[in-house]
Amino acid sequence: MEPNPSETRFEDRPRTTRLAPSPTGDLHLGNVRSLLVGWALARRLGWQVVLRHEDLDEERSDEGGCDAIEASLEWLGIDWDGPVLRQSNDLEPYRAAMTRLAEERLVFASNLSRREIREAVGAPQGKGTVVFPASLRPNDPNAFRFDDQDVNYRLTVEPGTELIRDELRGEREFDPSEEVGDMILWTKNGRPSYQLAVVVDDDRQGVTDVIRGDDLLSSAARQQRLRRTLGIDGDLRWWHLPMVHDEHGRRLAKRDGDAGILALRDAGVSADRVIGLVAAWSGLIPEPYDLPASAVPDLADEPAMHRLVDRESRTPCRFTQEDDRWLRKK
Ligand code: GLU
């Protein structure tokens, strides 16, 4: 049997990072930037790289999306080690974590909708995160259970800060009780939430280092809190990278259909061209030229990561029309 990473002490685990895209559509150039830079750093430093499909969001996950992601990564020349984990294949590990939390009476069933929570706390209606305060926990002790009925199950999140030691950003503190309050771990659709799944999987895939976009920086504190609550050994090392923006300064997103990787491939753009552009954005080469992914690890050392973060904290990286023209130039 394969050794189970979660039974190895954190400090004894081989350094391992993960590629964890959600199959909610074609990868875009912003995703590729985070994936390429993380992969290149890991390869340079001799770490393991594992792949995980975060496909638990039924509404947003595309049929065939996981295959498309693997095809995109292969086309780009970004590889991974060992078996691929597809979250929706087996919900048992997440259920087991819920059961453990329920035994300690740390999760409860709650029917309150976002609207009801907002109304109860007097918060304005809107799209942002809804903080679930301890005052809305059920009074009925029987609600502190996990039996996978069609309600949401939440974790009791007590006040207190989590110190995130980000290798690129330094130390950052967040209090998950203020950021989200009692967070949903299991949804009324009978599926684990992103926060639960990511914590269970980072552990069972033996992850030691998380390299990803900084839109998830405050999530790191929630994940660290949950990891500790589950008694998982060791704090992860975090490397949060700045995001790529479009010409209007908005984060690149799937709405920018033209920036989709398979769409570019189908338009005749070469993988080396895409890698060259992303490497130039990241300051790994002085200007864009065709570059195979296999050449990037030699360029992506830790000082290069710090330079990237420094520069983009002043001037965010933008995908411009000029970049698009260069990509498509024959
Ligand atoms: N699946 C998430 C995404 O594509 C990334 C989650 C993570 O890195 O923790 O945005």
Side-chain angles (χ1 to χ4, degrees):
M1 234 173 73
E2 292 276 315
N4 179 354
S6 54
E7 283 164 14
T8 310
R9 278 187 55 78
F10 186 80
E11 285 311 319
D12 299 332
R13 292 182 179 187
R15 294 288 282 266
T16 303
T17 192
R18 72 321 195 262
L19 311 172
S22 305
T24 51
D26 201 358
L27 290 177
H28 59 71
L29 286 167
N31 303 133
V32 170
R33 199 289 268 275
S34 301
L35 293 167
L36 176 72
V37 166
W39 170 85
L41 182 73
R43 288 300 185 218
R44 180 188 180 90
L45 299 176
W47 302 353
Q48 297 284 302
V49 178
V50 294
L51 175 62
R52 169 162 84 228
H53 293 297
E54 302 206 324
D55 65 341
L56 288 172
D57 187 339
E58 273 171 311
E59 275 168 29
R60 296 180 58 226
S61 294
D62 274 9
E63 180 74 24
C66 300
D67 295 340
I69 281 176
E70 289 185 29
S72 301
L73 293 173
E74 277 167 13
W75 178 70
L76 289 165
I78 296 177
D79 64 353
W80 58 88
D81 308 304
V84 178
L85 195 154
R86 196 178 282 211
Q87 291 182 325
S88 65
N89 271 356
D90 180 14
L91 302 187
E92 276 320 303
Y94 315 118
R95 235 184 266 282
M98 285 302 287
T99 305
R100 272 170 44 213
L101 294 168
E103 277 163 10
E104 296 185 43
R105 307 184 78 70
L106 295 173
V107 286
F108 59 89
S110 173
N111 256 327
L112 292 178
S113 66
R114 290 165 66 90
R115 167 182 278 273
E116 286 167 330
I117 299 163
R118 281 192 207 277
E119 278 168 8
V121 298
Q125 300 295 331
K127 277 199 140 201
T129 310
V130 190
V131 179
F132 188 106
S135 56
L136 291 183
R137 286 177 197 162
N139 293 322
D140 178 3
N142 292 325
F144 285 77
R145 61 169 203 273
F146 174 63
D147 50 4
D148 198 1
Q149 299 298 312
D150 48 2
V151 288
N152 291 323
Y153 294 83
R154 292 178 178 268
L155 175 73
T156 54
V157 176
E158 301 306 336
T161 52
E162 291 295 327
L163 182 67
I164 296 300
R165 289 197 179 78
D166 190 293
E167 306 291 322
L168 300 173
R169 310 294 176 108
E171 296 188 343
R172 304 289 289 266
E173 276 190 342
F174 301 91
D175 182 342
S177 75
E178 285 173 9
E179 302 252 325
V180 275
D182 291 351
M183 56 182 151
I184 296 182
L185 293 189
W186 195 273
T187 71
K188 53 179 184 276
N189 304 327
R191 296 197 151 211
S193 69
Y194 157 67
Q195 302 291 357
L196 177 66
V198 77
V199 170
V200 168
D201 290 343
D202 281 341
D203 181 41
R204 67 193 176 119
Q205 288 192 293
V207 171
T208 58
D209 292 76
V210 173
I211 312 173
R212 62 184 180 189
D214 62 8
D215 54 332
L216 290 167
L217 184 59
S218 76
S219 258
R222 299 167 207 175
Q223 291 160 20
Q224 184 163 292
R225 173 66 64 86
L226 179 55
R227 184 176 170 95
R228 289 179 170 178
T229 306
L230 281 164
I232 298 171
D233 185 42
D235 289 340
L236 295 171
R237 296 183 196 88
W238 309 95
W239 306 70
H240 285 98
L241 296 166
M243 313 286 284
V244 179
H245 295 72
D246 68 12
E247 290 222 291
H248 310 289
R250 295 184 305 182
R251 277 180 190 159
L252 222 54
K254 309 235 153 131
R255 63 171 180 267
D256 304 302
D258 289 349
I261 290 311
L262 294 176
L264 288 172
R265 183 194 67 183
D266 295 346
V269 176
S270 75
D272 291 3
R273 184 72 53 102
V274 173
I275 298 290
L277 177 64
V278 173
W281 279 350
S282 310
L284 302 178
I285 53 177
E287 59 189 39
Y289 51 81
D290 291 2
L291 183 75
S294 57
V296 182
D298 276 346
L299 307 167
D301 57 7
E302 226 182 297
M305 300 297 120
H306 283 282
R307 285 196 298 273
L308 182 164
V309 170
D310 271 3
R311 196 185 51 249
E312 292 186 22
S313 66
R314 281 174 271 122
T315 317
C317 176
R318 285 196 177 181
F319 177 37
T320 62
Q321 281 178 12
E322 198 186 325
D323 292 335
D324 192 54
R325 272 196 296 277
W326 182 77
L327 273 179
R328 294 168 195 276
K329 201 166 73 194
K330 296 287 177 216

